[in-house]
Amino acid sequence: MGLLTPDPGLLFWMLVTFGAVFFLLAKFGFPVILRSVEERKAYIEESLRSAQEAAGRLAGVQAEADRLLAEARAEQARILAQAAATRDRIIKEAQQKAYAESDRLLAELKKQLATEKESALRDIRRQVALLSVEVAEKVLRSKLADGQEQAALIDRLLDEVSESSHQASM
Amino acid sequence: MTLLLLLLAGTLAAPAAGHAPEEVDVNHLVFGHIGDTYGWHIVSLGGTDVTLPLPVIVKGAGGWRVFSSSRLAEGPYEGFYVAHGGPYDGKVVERDGTGAEVRPLDLSVTKNVLGLFINSGVLLALLLGCARWYRRHPADKAAPGGLVGMVEAVVTTVHDDVIKSCVGPDYRRYAPYLLTAFFFVLVNNLMGLVPVFPGGANLTGNIAVTMVLALFTFAFTNLFGTKEYWKEIFWPEVPIWMKCPVPMMPVIEFFGLFTKPFALMIRLFANIMAGHAAILSLLAIIFITVKVGPVINGSMTVVAVLFGVFMNGLEVLVAFIQAYVFTMMSAVFIGMSRVGHTEG
């Protein structure tokens, strides 16, 4: 048997063995391996894509956070400014009100004072008049105890009256 | 060149000088290793041969016979014996009624058949082991390392670079066959390079093995050929005179059907067989030059070992290249038979 003539025995066994090997590998070997490799490839691609998406989302979130922070700062500044303005306004108003009130009170006080002074003066005048009438009565009582004196006084009074009317006629 | 001359001079001079204790039959040595035997000679330990006896299964004139190959070493067994010389040299024969040597139907588990079983076992263990790993590990949980990773790298290389690009859109249907062919050839090539048992059976350098592989490719190519493929064979796009009265091109194309797998068969067989022959011949130099004397023998031994190492390295490369080429050519042939078929 030369090298170039296939031996039928080996040919037979080879056919059987290779057929069996092919069947087993084609059924349980390569499809499993290839499917796993493909699944892994798909999984890796999927992971890469989702990682990219997540990174994009994260960047968006960061920008959003920055924007919110800036907005909050602006709002804070605005509120502070408003509060300061309100405070100033309130203080000014209060001051104005206080000034007005004090002015009013002062004026009222002055008016009252003037009234009281007048009534006091009136009182004093009346008292003085009463006192002088009483004094005059007392003096007259003591002086006109006797008739002589009464006559003298009447004379003097009459003189005085005439004098004053004389003077008044001149 | 000088070395070769020295070698020639040595071999020619030695028998004349007459102090050759034993003639070294290089031809027998080399072809004994390349060819097939009924028992598996493992090693010779000081005169005793350690041989693994294998079952001889023959169907002669008297029906099926199964016996151990060790019986044959002792002489004829039930009329069967190993022929020396003649058309059936080295094979089990029997004598028919007229006394002529005839060959029975021989399905013996020879050295090559056992090697085939062992290598197929290795191949199955390797790939089914890998497949088992994938079954146990979900694709999104772990990636393989070590041996499984290496196998995966080879599988994906062959699958993506050879099968996908050569077969075309419906590569999925052919990927299992082409990958099986690739790994079968690769494992058998590499096991053939292992010099000790259980390697060393020269399988891919045996024409019966490559013939079966080529037949599989032939079947896969032609059983699923498209209409366009058959049209290109029997009515190709050439000037009408080349195909009408005398079907020149169709005949050529029709022969092409068979020459393509034939080329596959011969290429693999010749490459591997030649590699084995080259390594064995180089190492045979050592035993040839024993007769010439210690100086030449010593120097030739160094040279032979260096060349042998180089050739072995080369053969490892060839083992891969031939597996790759076989797969690629098969893929190309299958791809040609799928012309005009576009959907996956």
Side-chain angles (χ1 to χ4, degrees):
Chain A
M1 278 273 165
L3 280 173
L4 284 168
T5 16
D7 184 67
L10 185 56
L11 210 56
F12 167 77
W13 287 115
M14 172 64 191
L15 209 57
V16 170
T17 316
F18 185 75
V21 167
F22 171 45
F23 174 77
L24 287 173
L25 289 185
K27 199 144 177 64
F28 307 111
F30 293 116
V32 177
I33 296 175
L34 291 175
R35 197 173 52 239
S36 280
V37 170
E38 256 162 39
E39 269 170 21
R40 174 146 30 90
K41 206 187 270 174
Y43 174 72
I44 289 169
E45 269 167 20
E46 176 65 34
S47 303
L48 281 176
R49 201 170 43 244
S50 57
Q52 250 164 8
E53 264 170 27
R57 263 209 300 275
L58 198 65
V61 165
Q62 189 72 45
E64 178 72 14
D66 286 349
R67 197 179 60 73
L68 282 177
L69 201 63
E71 256 175 30
R73 288 234 173 84
E75 183 72 11
Q76 183 194 29
R78 197 182 61 73
I79 289 169
L80 280 177
Q82 207 178 15
T86 311
R87 182 196 61 198
D88 289 350
R89 191 170 52 75
I90 287 170
I91 288 170
K92 216 166 162 188
E93 270 173 17
Q95 269 175 347
Q96 274 169 355
K97 225 181 251 179
Y99 283 139
E101 184 69 13
S102 63
D103 282 355
R104 195 182 57 79
L105 281 175
L106 216 61
E108 218 165 272
L109 207 61
K110 269 182 190 160
K111 215 160 75 185
Q112 212 173 339
L113 271 175
T115 324
E116 275 183 14
K117 198 168 106 188
E118 205 137 312
S119 81
L121 276 177
R122 232 181 355 251
D123 253 13
I124 290 168
R125 266 195 207 114
R126 204 171 55 233
Q127 288 285 340
V128 169
L130 281 177
L131 273 175
S132 48
V133 169
E134 254 177 62
V135 168
E137 206 179 78
K138 273 179 185 161
V139 167
L140 280 181
R141 238 174 239 167
S142 64
K143 285 283 176 116
L144 294 181
D146 55 84
Q148 222 175 351
E149 284 228 20
Q150 282 174 4
L153 182 60
I154 292 163
D155 287 344
R156 204 174 49 227
L157 282 173
L158 285 170
D159 285 348
E160 270 175 24
V161 171
S162 61
E163 218 168 293
S164 61
S165 56
H166 185 66
Q167 270 171 348
S169 62
M170 285 186 7
Chain B
M1 201 60 214
T2 328
L3 288 172
L4 198 65
L5 283 175
L6 273 173
L7 179 68
L8 280 173
T11 42
L12 291 174
H19 45 69
E22 197 187 335
E23 195 69 39
V24 178
D25 185 355
V26 178
N27 213 32
H28 181 74
L29 190 144
V30 171
F31 284 97
H33 277 87
I34 287 174
D36 205 354
T37 49
Y38 284 97
W40 196 323
H41 179 241
I42 293 166
V43 73
S44 294
L45 286 174
T48 41
D49 287 340
V50 179
T51 303
L52 186 70
L54 298 169
V56 175
I57 305 164
V58 287
K59 182 179 184 286
W64 288 100
R65 289 280 180 281
V66 179
F67 52 93
S68 166
S69 67
S70 57
R71 300 280 176 81
L72 291 170
E74 297 152 9
Y77 178 81
E78 292 188 3
F80 295 104
Y81 62 97
V82 178
H84 288 283
Y88 307 129
D89 183 30
K91 299 288 173 190
V92 167
V93 290
E94 62 177 349
R95 289 193 188 279
D96 63 3
T98 60
E101 271 185 356
V102 287
R103 223 183 143 200
L105 178 59
D106 186 354
L107 296 183
S108 306
V109 177
T110 58
K111 176 186 170 185
N112 276 347
V113 176
L114 182 64
L116 184 65
F117 292 164
I118 292 169
N119 296 353
S120 301
V122 169
L123 179 62
L124 286 176
L126 182 73
L127 287 167
L128 294 182
C130 288
R132 210 165 93 112
W133 188 95
Y134 285 103
R135 271 205 199 93
R136 293 192 165 185
H137 296 77
D140 53 352
K141 291 285 185 294
L147 187 69
V148 184
M150 194 181 81
V151 171
E152 184 192 303
V154 179
V155 168
T156 47
T157 303
V158 173
H159 184 255
D160 295 350
D161 296 352
V162 179
I163 300 172
K164 247 186 219 176
S165 55
C166 292
V167 175
D170 51 356
Y171 64 92
R172 268 170 216 284
R173 190 187 198 174
Y174 300 98
Y177 165 66
L178 290 168
L179 281 166
T180 306
F182 176 83
F183 277 96
F184 187 86
V185 174
L186 183 67
V187 165
N188 278 303
N189 282 351
L190 291 175
M191 287 297 279
L193 290 175
V194 176
V196 292
F197 184 83
N202 174 31
L203 275 164
T204 36
N206 189 298
I207 199 140
V209 171
T210 60
M211 185 186 233
V212 171
L213 288 169
L215 279 174
F216 267 85
T217 295
F218 179 77
F220 271 99
T221 309
N222 294 301
L223 288 182
F224 306 111
T226 55
K227 219 187 287 172
E228 284 85 350
Y229 169 68
W230 293 109
K231 184 185 164 285
E232 268 175 33
I233 289 167
F234 292 113
W235 200 253
E237 300 270 332
V238 286
I240 197 85
W241 58 268
M242 290 182 86
K243 55 189 178 183
C244 196
V246 184
M248 247 195 310
M249 283 310 289
V251 167
I252 292 170
E253 290 280 356
F254 187 70
F255 271 100
L257 277 187
F258 302 98
T259 52
K260 280 184 279 192
F262 188 76
L264 275 183
M265 172 178 88
I266 295 293
R267 181 186 299 110
L268 181 58
F269 155 72
N271 270 288
I272 304 305
M273 197 272 290
H276 281 244
I279 293 170
L280 289 166
S281 306
L282 279 166
L283 295 182
I285 290 173
I286 300 166
F287 304 104
I288 293 166
T289 51
V290 167
K291 294 171 282 186
V292 192
V295 178
I296 291 176
N297 183 221
S299 54
M300 287 315 290
T301 302
V302 173
V303 171
V305 167
L306 284 178
F307 269 103
V309 168
F310 169 73
M311 277 307 294
N312 256 314
L314 195 68
E315 282 306 304
V316 172
L317 198 64
V318 168
F320 182 81
I321 290 170
Q322 285 306 318
Y324 194 83
V325 166
F326 187 93
T327 314
M328 195 171 68
M329 296 307 280
S330 297
V332 167
F333 295 156
I334 290 171
M336 282 159 83
S337 80
R338 305 297 299 167
V339 284
H341 193 274
T342 42
E343 80 228 59

